[in-house]
Amino acid sequence: MKITDVKVKPVNGTSRLKAIVEITIDGVFVVHELRIIEGTNGLFVAMPSRQVGENVYKDVAHPINAETRKMIEDAVLEKYEAALLEKNEN
């Protein structure tokens, strides 16, 4: 499995939410609404989720092992950092 495309939409403001992301897997499957969040230990990628109760959210799509999660997170954060550099250059 390969992440063949990553689209990052940075979010302006001071919230912990830094960007909304869409990834394409193997050029044939798209996952929308990943979020880049500023956590206490730095940036992390949150999977798409829906609210199932008061302050309770459940992922609707997620990797099933740490290796795949890392591959997705690395691809997303690399593209996010490139988008920030491009934005700062303009």
Side-chain angles (χ1 to χ4, degrees), residues 14-81:
T14 58
S15 76
R16 293 180 23 186
L17 176 64
K18 300 303 177 189
I20 303 294
V21 180
E22 166 186 310
I23 62 171
T24 304
I25 300 168
D26 291 335
V28 297
F29 190 82
V30 177
V31 180
H32 299 275
E33 298 295 321
L34 285 83
R35 294 170 315 284
I36 298 175
I37 307 288
E38 180 71 50
T40 55
N41 296 318
L43 296 174
F44 69 93
V45 177
M47 295 297 128
S49 61
R50 63 183 166 91
Q51 191 168 3
V52 295
E54 189 173 324
N55 298 322
V56 178
Y57 293 84
K58 182 172 177 68
D59 286 349
V60 294
H62 59 87
I64 59 171
N65 59 48
E67 178 184 353
T68 303
R69 180 174 295 278
K70 181 171 177 11
M71 179 189 58
I72 292 169
E73 192 163 87
D74 289 349
V76 167
L77 293 177
E78 179 181 314
K79 189 73 167 194
Y80 173 69
E81 290 169 7

